């Protein structure tokens, strides 16, 4: 069997490095381009010392045509606005793309307010498939451009989506309180992500104005079959990896009913573990893996369901999900390269 | 001036140790009894190596009368059910008490369901004053028995209370998502509080059934002037100290209005820092101190106020607040022994 | 190809769990017994929630004969004294054993002073092969009983061994200052391994009297061809995984010479990465993997070589090395099941 | 009593902030200048949100004369080369200075190789007193310019100094393996000090070439009465505060003898806690305070003393020691403003 030839563009950051890590163990894919901009020419091992299999490879900055000669598929871990231009160019050159930025996840009108730029070619927004395999599985298989979901939306949609679809939650007035590890802020140094500033800190940020809000609302609206508005507040907590999204919604259903609905919906999904009623997830139990945990408890005295989802933000929340999408696009087993258990403790 | 003679009973745990730490620097109080049960006879320095001023003191297990001979005041960091009996006995012996357990915070009917025991003498529940100085200041001055609030309720009530009192939040359907450092679980070893099990973990627990729920609801109901029900979900995150309570309530008010109400309500309170509109607190900025931060943002598109409170769970959430109560009870300056800034970073 | 059938005995702890994690992804081995004592009968998923492939398996407490019926090989993660009896019994029943305890690493006379028990059958000490593959590779292939090295000795011997063998260090007066993550203390709760007690702590322990001392000295003596005495002081630092052993020895050689010797010695070893002269290792770069890093700098003004080794204490320092030994014993590729890169960050 | 008027110059970093924190609680000193360069004009509360007492003060960039009008004393937390010029100018203007940089700690010839600049006025090196109060106490009282020791030298000299002075250690071949928290790297963001890069990392750096080496050697040589050479290797471990220096030296003395010598030497020193023989220090037990712990064990089989010192790098290792020096210079009680216990856990 010939390997699928994959280009990873924007490979210097944490997400790009994670894609390389996972592809290093992929049985049916090989990395043919390790792309970077400013770091082009540098040794991969200098940037990612843990990636021994790639240590002596070089970052390259290639034109689209050169990528197309070397790869059937590309994972893009580029800035949003750069992706908006690069992804269509690659597709037109014959490369099927999983884009990890936010550039193809929303409607055109959402880009100016939430991302601060006018989308350069909105027709591509219609062609791109939203790459949450547990929801969009079949459409991903045929896609040339997959918009890999954001880390927070992945955790939220896997947890709330099935319950909204089943009509078990009131879609009004939902709250999503999310907690993320610090690697979600990326690799570029900043004062707030310094160790000394982060240890001991529990820091809410962009309350109500985080750009994952419209993505969450679009996914939940699709699940509910009606427009859904949520209050979304992310927090940074002192850990490297992991997201926990704790979601609150009014319900008349019992925890057993809700847990059964989660279990049934996710039964076919190899990467989602639905917990028994009353048990809530912990991202520590999925660290380093493409697994997600979802669970639900009900606060009977307030009539509120507490529905939570946990992922490793760099794997199921980013690079792992991208490879899962790649597998689906190219007819490979969905779990290829992603079937190792989490690392614990 | 003669010093106030204070007994600290239950002094082996983190809260008791914190009380000793703060009293070591108190200008008008001295610790005359360092009480413990099983550890009685042991050197304080063996249990609390950081408490150099107490290193060669011994833990004592004394009858109530002996405590009364040596102390005008007692801080009780005892198990709930033990406190329920000991606190009244001390008061009857002439010792004024700040009780850090939950034994005097609720109505009698709440003890069996939330604390698992029948209250031994509910008449004392009526005599005890709930020791949140920012709300109950004057009543604390005259009290013989003060029920020191729980760590979570302190953070929540300082944040939400003034806004409910001002009628600026809808009291229906509020959500409190709290995050706590691990010292809140106490000093007794357990598998879940091991370092290796805690690092990387973001763990919700007792969703909707935590025993601070009725305490929060009682405080919020008093503030709102009507019964309030909340959904309260605490989480443990990987840090030693600190609580952040992120609270969600529907509002028609703007963030400026809410922030102004918080600022006005807390203006007289030396330990509460109300942040400008749109800024939310971080417990790292109050670590080691008796300060609390409160702040509010509004998610306009969902009509939800995000109101948050941050405290050091061992100081303003426990031992520091107890000393603040002690100061008020004995006519000392409210900030005596508590006026050092937080330790940062 | 039929899979090698492996029993993991003592599978409830961190090391046993790590063996299961790695064997889950082993292409030529399958776990046929998940052994435990007190936990026998329990679901593996309740103890190791991350081990989804084993979630519904049960811990079993089996007699030796029953293990022998179901397995050709056994990994023993048992208490030292229990292993001393169980390992020979298994070998006699036809099961080839990798023992992760200290029960077969030393000479008979070392057990009373260092491990506190008289070895029950010292003849087995002569039959056991010390399982450091980079040193003992060929002998491991023929062994029925392999004594898997301790975590600290692994880091030290990979770093210092080749340099002593080459005569490049003075064997007199060497110092080994080691730093370990907290998972090395195991899973049983203790006050010193609580999160709140560990965060912020840098704690030397058992200075000069740690039981890995004779194991380190035996390995270094073999390398040097003469008796070597070291001063060994381990420390616990606030991280979950990882060991760094910083070793100090007098030298007349330049860093380049020393680095070249390390590189040459480890060139054939798939799991050891020798760093360029002047660069020292960091266990973060090998976390979750069976890799080791070794490096050397020279302090010219004092004539001292600083030689350091880094491993993940649960992988190359325990379960990963055990599987590496298993591979060698059964003629499997040395890297089978162990070829995934580290997880970073 | 009128307060001592103190200027803190270079007040935006962690050390400067720590000086402000401690001075906020000083009974006989007040901060009259909060100095900064680029941040001049900004609110102190924006840079140091925990420093509530200074929140609305402004950073100022003042000429020397203006500082001299407002302050009798200055703490300088400036870059080394800037301090080399500013400190003498202040002294000449009548301001007595504690300089926290390295600019006055060494002999003139040491500056080019270790600090990369030619000292602008070496005559001041002779006038400056090295501010380790436990060694230089009386000379500090009369000094106009005190060179506050480095964080590592403080921990090392308090531990090794008395034993070398007493002739109990062989001065040849000593090794100092130090471990520091990350705040020691300062506040300016860098990739290596990011949380995600630091968590899980145990990182040796500048092995044998750290600029605290000549400072350590000078102090040890003075103690020994003969030239001493050490091998000094610092490491960064994942904690915010704290230094542990583990020192190795050959000895013929027993641990009891060594511990007794430490205890005797430090008996008059209010901030140094000498541990019983065989016990080694932990910086967690001194966090947030000006305390140091020192202790010694002996590895009898190798004839090596393990002598360790622990400090909070920002307090006894920097700002706290500076205030201790200030107290001595101005005839205030040595512990003024520094007598609060550590914060634990």
């Amino acid at each position: 069997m010939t390997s699928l030839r994959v280009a990873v563009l924007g490979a210097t950051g944490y997400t790009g490095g994670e894609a390389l890590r996972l592809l290093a163990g992929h049985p049916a894919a090989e990395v043919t381009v390790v792309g970077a901009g400013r770091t082009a020419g540098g040794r991969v091992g200098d940037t990612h010392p843990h990636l021994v299999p790639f240590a002596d490879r070089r970052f390259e900055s290639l034109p689209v045509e050169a990528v197309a000669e070397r790869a059937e598929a590309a994972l893009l871990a580029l800035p949003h606005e750069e992706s908006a231009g690069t992804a269509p160019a690659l597709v037109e050159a014959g490369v099927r793309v999983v884009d990890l930025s936010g550039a193809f996840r929303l409607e055109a009108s959402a880009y100016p307010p939430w991302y601060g730029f006018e989308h350069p070619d909105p027709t591509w927004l219609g062609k791109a498939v939203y790459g949450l395999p547990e929801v969009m599985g079949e459409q991903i298989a045929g896609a040339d451009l997959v918009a890999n979901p954001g880390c927070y939306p992945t955790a939220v949609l896997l947890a709330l989506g099935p319950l909204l679809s089943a009509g078990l939650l009131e879609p009004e007035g939902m709250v999503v309180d999310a907690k993320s590890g610090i690697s979600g802020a990326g690799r570029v140094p900043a004062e707030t992500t310094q160790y000394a500033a982060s240890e001991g800190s529990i820091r809410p940020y962009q309350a109500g104005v985080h750009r994952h809000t419209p993505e969450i609302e679009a996914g939940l609206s699709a699940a509910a079959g009606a427009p859904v508005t949520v209050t979304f507040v992310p927090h940074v907590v002192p850990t490297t990896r992991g997201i926990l999204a704790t979601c609150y919604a009014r319900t008349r259903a019992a925890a057993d009913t809700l847990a059964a609905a989660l279990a049934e919906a996710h039964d076919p999904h190899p990467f989602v573990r639905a917990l028994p009623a009353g048990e809530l997830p912990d991202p520590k139990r999925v660290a380093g893996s493409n697994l997600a945990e979802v669970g639900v408890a009900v606060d009977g005295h307030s009539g509120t369901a507490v529905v939570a989802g946990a992922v490793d933000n760099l794997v199921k929340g980013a690079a792992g999900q991208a490879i899962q999408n790649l597998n689906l696009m190219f007819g490979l087993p969905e779990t290829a390269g992603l079937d190792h258990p989490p690392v614990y403790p």
Side-chain angles (χ1 to χ4, degrees), chain A residues 39-324:
Chain A
T39 318
R43 283 180 70 248
V44 174
D46 292 343
T47 295
H48 298 299
H50 65 301
L51 293 178
V52 177
F54 294 97
D56 294 322
R57 298 274 292 269
R58 297 277 166 179
F59 291 107
E60 296 180 89
S61 178
L62 299 178
V64 162
E65 304 71 38
V67 173
E69 281 174 22
R70 306 234 301 259
E72 288 100 42
L75 302 187
L76 270 57
L78 300 170
H80 307 288
E81 198 163 357
E82 186 178 346
S83 251
T86 302
L90 283 164
V91 173
E92 285 174 346
V95 181
R96 296 171 75 187
V97 169
V98 180
D99 178 48
L100 285 90
S101 84
F104 298 94
R105 298 180 194 152
L106 303 177
E107 297 187 351
S109 62
Y111 284 92
W114 293 100
Y115 282 84
F117 65 88
E118 197 77 45
H119 203 282
D121 189 350
T123 60
W124 283 95
L125 297 176
K127 299 179 197 165
V129 173
Y130 187 69
L132 189 65
E134 289 74 15
V135 174
M136 306 293 283
E138 298 184 7
Q139 296 179 60
I140 292 165
D144 286 328
L145 173 53
V146 167
N148 210 57
C151 50
Y152 290 121
T154 296
V156 174
L157 299 180
L158 293 176
L160 285 180
L163 302 180
L164 282 170
S165 294
L168 293 167
L169 302 178
E170 270 187 41
E172 299 292 307
M174 292 196 296
V175 166
V176 175
D177 183 296
K179 299 92 182 163
S180 174
I182 298 169
S183 63
R187 191 168 193 157
V188 179
E191 184 166 334
T192 51
T193 56
Q194 293 270 98
Y195 187 93
S198 300
E199 181 262 319
S201 167
I202 308 172
R203 191 165 58 82
Y205 69 107
Q206 297 178 6
V209 299
H210 191 283
R211 57 176 48 148
H212 283 178
T213 306
E215 185 181 340
I216 290 170
E217 291 182 339
L220 294 180
S221 298
V228 169
T229 301
V230 303
T231 304
F232 172 55
V233 180
H235 300 69
V236 178
V237 298
T239 180
T240 297
R241 289 170 178 246
I243 281 180
L244 179 77
T246 315
C247 311
Y248 300 86
R250 296 193 60 78
T251 190
R252 294 186 191 165
D256 285 348
T257 307
L258 297 169
L262 279 180
E264 187 185 347
H266 287 305
D267 184 58
H269 302 149
F271 293 116
V272 187
R273 198 162 93 98
L275 300 174
E279 289 185 24
L280 294 177
D282 181 347
K284 185 171 179 71
R285 295 197 297 247
V286 300
S289 85
N290 202 47
L291 287 178
E293 278 192 355
V294 297
V296 59
V298 169
D299 180 350
H301 98 298
S302 70
T304 301
V306 182
V307 193
V311 297
D312 182 324
N313 56 304
L314 294 177
V315 192
K316 183 63 176 169
Q321 185 145 270
I323 291 167
Q324 186 182 357

